[in-house]
Amino acid sequence: MGVGLGIILLLAGLVLAFDVVNVGSTWVDEGPLGWILIAVGVLAIVLALVMNQQRQRVTHVEERRDLSA
């Protein structure tokens, strides 16, 4: 989920930053908003990949005890 959200934010930021679509909003400037979304998208992708790597490093130890003695 984290990688997908990061990609969506990254693409939305690229669209706004490079004026692919003119939103025509008077209360927010699309350029800086696009760069903020690009930064947040990249951060989300990096964090998702780091968290996924940490999840794969977990090892499970099974301990068996002989109680018949």
Side-chain angles (χ1 to χ4, degrees):
M1 181 175 134
V3 175
L5 177 65
I7 291 173
I8 289 172
L9 289 173
L10 183 65
L11 290 176
L14 287 171
V15 166
L16 290 175
F18 295 122
D19 289 331
V20 175
V21 176
N22 190 4
V23 179
S25 171
T26 58
W27 55 275
V28 68
D29 191 14
E30 291 98 9
L33 178 62
W35 288 108
I36 291 170
L37 288 176
I38 290 171
V40 171
V42 168
L43 183 65
I45 292 171
V46 169
L47 285 176
L49 292 176
V50 167
M51 296 292 283
N52 197 17
Q53 280 295 99
Q54 288 180 349
R55 187 178 305 142
Q56 290 178 357
R57 291 185 186 170
V58 174
T59 59
H60 298 282
V61 177
E62 184 177 333
E63 182 178 327
R64 295 181 186 212
R65 295 183 183 185
D66 187 18
L67 299 176
S68 63

